[in-house]
Amino acid sequence: MTDAPHPDPMTWLTQWYARQCDGYWEHSYGVSIDTLDNPGWLIKIDLTDTHLADKAFEEVAFNMDASDGDPSSRWHHCKVGDEQFVAACGVYDLLTVIGIFRAFTDAFPADAVFTPR
């Protein structure tokens, strides 16, 4: 399978995940997308044993001043800690936080040869 030059965010995330799967990584690490009750999304992406594990990420937060519990609220919060990218966001911001993760990975292209710790 060849990666499209500019795939949509979900296709890109699927491709990123597939590139990490080496017969070992996927047994201990991965990507999870869950729902929040406020409402919104929570996405966790393990960076352990990837080329991003030790890379710096500046926390990102955005809140468009909407009332709590309003599904149309636009907000997101992204950070990296304990070798994991974690993002919480509003109902309509899932693709935005995947885009933020994509920008993070684009800032640190994978080396030709990456050897996990």
Side-chain angles (χ1 to χ4, degrees):
M1 175 175 91
T2 53
D3 294 348
H6 300 289
D8 66 86
M10 288 302 289
T11 300
W12 177 87
L13 183 61
T14 301
Q15 293 168 345
W16 182 89
Y17 171 75
R19 286 191 300 273
Q20 308 318 302
C21 296
D22 61 3
Y24 300 99
W25 184 86
E26 65 274 14
H27 293 281
S28 298
Y29 310 108
V31 175
S32 67
I33 300 175
D34 209 344
T35 56
L36 298 172
D37 65 356
N38 58 337
W41 299 99
L42 177 66
I43 183 168
K44 295 180 180 179
I45 303 173
D46 291 314
L47 305 177
T48 303
D49 290 344
T50 73
H51 75 285
L52 300 169
D54 62 349
K55 303 299 187 240
F57 177 83
E58 188 171 331
E59 194 168 319
V60 176
F62 172 80
N63 187 5
M64 192 183 239
D65 193 33
S67 62
D68 222 12
D70 178 359
S72 65
S73 295
R74 303 303 302 249
W75 63 275
H76 58 266
H77 182 233
C78 307
K79 65 181 182 175
V80 168
D82 298 324
E83 295 186 346
Q84 190 175 62
F85 175 88
V86 179
C89 64
V91 171
Y92 297 106
D93 294 302
L94 179 60
L95 300 181
T96 298
V97 298
I98 293 171
I100 291 168
F101 178 67
R102 182 178 187 170
F104 173 52
T105 67
D106 288 350
F108 302 102
D111 297 336
V113 176
F114 171 72
T115 306
R117 289 183 271 144

